Short mmCIF file of all heavy atoms in Angstrom, two decimals:
data_model
loop_
_atom_site.label_atom_id
_atom_site.label_comp_id
_atom_site.label_asym_id
_atom_site.label_seq_id
_atom_site.Cartn_x
_atom_site.Cartn_y
_atom_site.Cartn_z
N ILE E 1 0.75 -1.20 -0.02
CA ILE E 1 0.05 0.02 -0.01
C ILE E 1 0.93 1.29 -0.04
O ILE E 1 0.70 2.20 -0.83
CB ILE E 1 -0.96 0.02 1.16
CG1 ILE E 1 -1.84 -1.25 1.17
CG2 ILE E 1 -1.80 1.30 1.20
CD1 ILE E 1 -2.71 -1.40 -0.07
N SER E 2 1.81 1.25 0.91
CA SER E 2 2.72 2.37 0.88
C SER E 2 4.04 2.04 1.65
O SER E 2 4.06 1.21 2.59
CB SER E 2 2.08 3.64 1.66
OG SER E 2 1.83 3.31 3.02
N ILE E 3 5.09 2.65 1.23
CA ILE E 3 6.43 2.54 1.91
C ILE E 3 6.91 4.07 1.97
O ILE E 3 7.05 4.68 0.87
CB ILE E 3 7.43 1.70 1.21
CG1 ILE E 3 6.93 0.18 1.17
CG2 ILE E 3 8.78 1.76 1.87
CD1 ILE E 3 7.86 -0.72 0.53
N SER E 4 7.08 4.55 3.12
CA SER E 4 7.49 6.01 3.29
C SER E 4 8.92 6.16 2.85
O SER E 4 9.68 5.34 2.77
CB SER E 4 7.29 6.42 4.67
OG SER E 4 8.35 5.91 5.58
N GLU E 5 9.18 7.46 2.59
CA GLU E 5 10.58 7.92 2.62
C GLU E 5 11.11 7.71 3.95
O GLU E 5 10.47 7.90 4.99
CB GLU E 5 10.71 9.34 2.09
CG GLU E 5 10.19 9.51 0.70
CD GLU E 5 11.27 8.74 -0.34
OE1 GLU E 5 12.47 8.69 -0.07
OE2 GLU E 5 10.73 8.13 -1.23
N PRO E 6 12.44 7.55 4.19
CA PRO E 6 13.06 7.46 5.48
C PRO E 6 12.87 8.87 6.20
O PRO E 6 13.10 9.93 5.62
CB PRO E 6 14.56 7.26 5.17
CG PRO E 6 14.51 6.60 3.84
CD PRO E 6 13.36 7.22 3.05
N VAL E 7 12.50 8.76 7.43
CA VAL E 7 12.24 10.09 8.26
C VAL E 7 13.03 9.87 9.56
O VAL E 7 13.11 8.82 10.19
CB VAL E 7 10.79 10.37 8.42
CG1 VAL E 7 10.03 10.64 7.18
CG2 VAL E 7 10.11 9.20 9.20
N VAL E 8 13.51 10.97 10.07
CA VAL E 8 14.18 11.08 11.35
C VAL E 8 13.05 10.65 12.49
O VAL E 8 12.05 11.15 12.45
CB VAL E 8 14.75 12.36 11.70
CG1 VAL E 8 15.22 12.46 13.10
CG2 VAL E 8 15.94 12.64 10.68
N TYR E 9 13.47 9.76 13.40
CA TYR E 9 12.47 9.35 14.39
C TYR E 9 12.83 9.72 15.85
O TYR E 9 11.95 9.50 16.67
CB TYR E 9 12.19 7.80 14.20
CG TYR E 9 13.33 6.95 14.56
CD1 TYR E 9 13.24 6.24 15.80
CD2 TYR E 9 14.43 6.78 13.76
CE1 TYR E 9 14.31 5.38 16.16
CE2 TYR E 9 15.49 5.97 14.16
CZ TYR E 9 15.42 5.21 15.37
OH TYR E 9 16.37 4.45 15.72
N LEU E 10 14.15 10.06 16.11
CA LEU E 10 14.49 10.44 17.50
C LEU E 10 15.22 11.76 17.31
O LEU E 10 16.43 11.89 17.63
CB LEU E 10 15.39 9.36 18.06
CG LEU E 10 14.77 8.01 18.46
CD1 LEU E 10 15.84 7.03 18.93
CD2 LEU E 10 13.56 8.17 19.44
N PRO E 11 14.48 12.82 16.97
CA PRO E 11 15.23 14.08 16.58
C PRO E 11 15.98 14.73 17.85
O PRO E 11 16.91 15.54 17.51
CB PRO E 11 14.06 14.95 16.06
CG PRO E 11 12.86 14.37 16.74
CD PRO E 11 13.02 12.88 16.80
N HIS E 12 15.54 14.36 19.10
CA HIS E 12 16.19 15.01 20.19
C HIS E 12 17.12 14.03 21.04
O HIS E 12 17.57 14.48 22.01
CB HIS E 12 15.07 15.60 21.12
CG HIS E 12 14.08 16.42 20.40
ND1 HIS E 12 14.42 17.44 19.60
CD2 HIS E 12 12.69 16.35 20.37
CE1 HIS E 12 13.29 18.08 19.07
NE2 HIS E 12 12.30 17.47 19.62
N ARG E 13 17.39 12.92 20.46
CA ARG E 13 18.30 12.05 21.04
C ARG E 13 19.72 12.27 20.50
O ARG E 13 19.93 12.22 19.31
CB ARG E 13 17.97 10.62 20.89
CG ARG E 13 18.85 9.70 21.72
CD ARG E 13 18.50 8.25 21.55
NE ARG E 13 19.39 7.33 22.30
CZ ARG E 13 19.40 6.02 22.38
NH1 ARG E 13 18.52 5.35 21.63
NH2 ARG E 13 20.22 5.38 23.16
N GLU E 14 20.63 12.53 21.40
CA GLU E 14 22.13 12.76 21.01
C GLU E 14 22.59 11.70 20.16
O GLU E 14 22.51 10.50 20.63
CB GLU E 14 22.95 13.10 22.13
CG GLU E 14 24.38 13.47 21.88
CD GLU E 14 25.22 13.76 23.01
OE1 GLU E 14 24.69 13.75 24.22
OE2 GLU E 14 26.45 13.97 22.91
N GLY E 15 23.12 11.91 19.05
CA GLY E 15 23.72 10.90 18.17
C GLY E 15 22.76 10.32 17.23
O GLY E 15 23.10 9.48 16.30
N TYR E 16 21.44 10.58 17.36
CA TYR E 16 20.43 10.01 16.45
C TYR E 16 19.72 11.11 15.59
O TYR E 16 18.68 10.75 15.05
CB TYR E 16 19.34 9.39 17.38
CG TYR E 16 19.79 7.95 17.85
CD1 TYR E 16 20.81 7.86 18.74
CD2 TYR E 16 19.21 6.82 17.39
CE1 TYR E 16 21.18 6.54 19.22
CE2 TYR E 16 19.49 5.51 17.86
CZ TYR E 16 20.57 5.41 18.90
OH TYR E 16 20.89 4.22 19.27
N GLU E 17 20.30 12.25 15.57
CA GLU E 17 19.61 13.36 14.89
C GLU E 17 19.37 13.14 13.38
O GLU E 17 18.47 13.67 12.71
CB GLU E 17 20.38 14.59 15.00
CG GLU E 17 20.52 15.15 16.48
CD GLU E 17 21.71 14.61 17.24
OE1 GLU E 17 22.34 13.65 16.65
OE2 GLU E 17 21.96 14.99 18.37
N GLU E 18 20.22 12.25 12.80
CA GLU E 18 20.00 11.83 11.41
C GLU E 18 19.67 10.36 11.16
O GLU E 18 19.57 9.93 10.03
CB GLU E 18 21.27 12.11 10.65
CG GLU E 18 21.72 13.66 10.66
CD GLU E 18 22.93 13.99 9.83
OE1 GLU E 18 23.55 13.06 9.32
OE2 GLU E 18 23.33 15.14 9.81
N ARG E 19 19.28 9.63 12.23
CA ARG E 19 18.88 8.29 12.23
C ARG E 19 17.38 8.15 11.66
O ARG E 19 16.60 8.93 12.19
CB ARG E 19 18.95 7.56 13.48
CG ARG E 19 18.92 6.01 13.44
CD ARG E 19 20.11 5.44 12.80
NE ARG E 19 21.29 5.62 13.61
CZ ARG E 19 21.66 4.86 14.57
NH1 ARG E 19 20.95 3.86 15.02
NH2 ARG E 19 22.80 5.11 15.26
N THR E 20 17.26 7.32 10.71
CA THR E 20 15.85 7.34 9.99
C THR E 20 15.14 6.03 10.17
O THR E 20 15.74 5.01 10.33
CB THR E 20 16.03 7.77 8.55
OG1 THR E 20 16.95 6.84 7.98
CG2 THR E 20 16.48 9.19 8.40
N VAL E 21 13.83 6.23 10.02
CA VAL E 21 12.98 4.92 10.11
C VAL E 21 12.04 5.00 8.91
O VAL E 21 11.78 6.06 8.28
CB VAL E 21 12.10 5.02 11.44
CG1 VAL E 21 11.16 6.06 11.36
CG2 VAL E 21 11.37 3.58 11.65
N ILE E 22 11.52 3.77 8.51
CA ILE E 22 10.63 3.72 7.34
C ILE E 22 9.37 3.07 7.88
O ILE E 22 9.34 2.15 8.57
CB ILE E 22 11.29 2.81 6.21
CG1 ILE E 22 12.68 3.33 5.82
CG2 ILE E 22 10.41 2.68 4.97
CD1 ILE E 22 13.45 2.35 4.87
N TYR E 23 8.23 3.62 7.33
CA TYR E 23 6.94 3.15 7.64
C TYR E 23 6.38 2.24 6.45
O TYR E 23 6.43 2.69 5.25
CB TYR E 23 5.89 4.28 7.82
CG TYR E 23 6.26 5.07 9.04
CD1 TYR E 23 7.14 6.18 8.91
CD2 TYR E 23 5.61 4.88 10.20
CE1 TYR E 23 7.43 7.01 9.98
CE2 TYR E 23 5.96 5.64 11.41
CZ TYR E 23 6.87 6.70 11.26
OH TYR E 23 7.17 7.48 12.31
N PHE E 24 5.92 1.07 6.78
CA PHE E 24 5.41 0.20 5.75
C PHE E 24 3.93 -0.12 6.01
O PHE E 24 3.49 -0.46 7.11
CB PHE E 24 6.20 -1.21 5.82
CG PHE E 24 7.71 -1.02 5.61
CD1 PHE E 24 8.45 -0.73 6.64
CD2 PHE E 24 8.23 -1.22 4.35
CE1 PHE E 24 9.78 -0.59 6.44
CE2 PHE E 24 9.59 -1.11 4.15
CZ PHE E 24 10.37 -0.73 5.25
N THR E 25 3.12 -0.13 4.94
CA THR E 25 1.66 -0.52 5.10
C THR E 25 1.45 -1.55 4.00
O THR E 25 1.70 -1.27 2.76
CB THR E 25 0.82 0.72 4.84
OG1 THR E 25 1.17 1.66 5.84
CG2 THR E 25 -0.66 0.25 5.06
N TYR E 26 1.05 -2.71 4.40
CA TYR E 26 0.60 -3.83 3.45
C TYR E 26 -0.71 -4.25 3.67
O TYR E 26 -1.31 -4.26 4.83
CB TYR E 26 1.56 -4.99 3.60
CG TYR E 26 2.97 -4.74 2.91
CD1 TYR E 26 4.02 -4.31 3.65
CD2 TYR E 26 3.05 -5.13 1.54
CE1 TYR E 26 5.28 -4.16 3.06
CE2 TYR E 26 4.31 -4.98 1.01
CZ TYR E 26 5.38 -4.49 1.74
OH TYR E 26 6.63 -4.26 1.12
N GLN E 27 -1.45 -4.69 2.58
CA GLN E 27 -2.73 -5.36 2.74
C GLN E 27 -2.55 -6.83 2.55
O GLN E 27 -1.73 -7.28 1.63
CB GLN E 27 -3.73 -4.85 1.67
CG GLN E 27 -5.11 -5.47 1.83
CD GLN E 27 -6.19 -4.83 0.96
OE1 GLN E 27 -5.79 -4.51 -0.17
NE2 GLN E 27 -7.31 -4.68 1.44
#
């Protein structure tokens, strides 16, 4: 159904400001 672009998921955690996560939706 959808796969997101990678997005930052812990913006305020030191060392993770550029770490990204992907969201997946399947039927």
Side-chain angles (χ1 to χ4, degrees):
I1 302 300
S2 66
I3 297 179
S4 76
E5 293 296 319
V7 295
V8 173
Y9 70 103
L10 294 176
H12 307 311
R13 184 180 182 185
E14 184 178 356
Y16 282 69
E17 296 87 353
E18 297 183 0
R19 193 72 64 85
T20 55
V21 71
I22 304 171
Y23 295 87
F24 302 84
T25 306
Y26 281 94
Q27 187 175 35

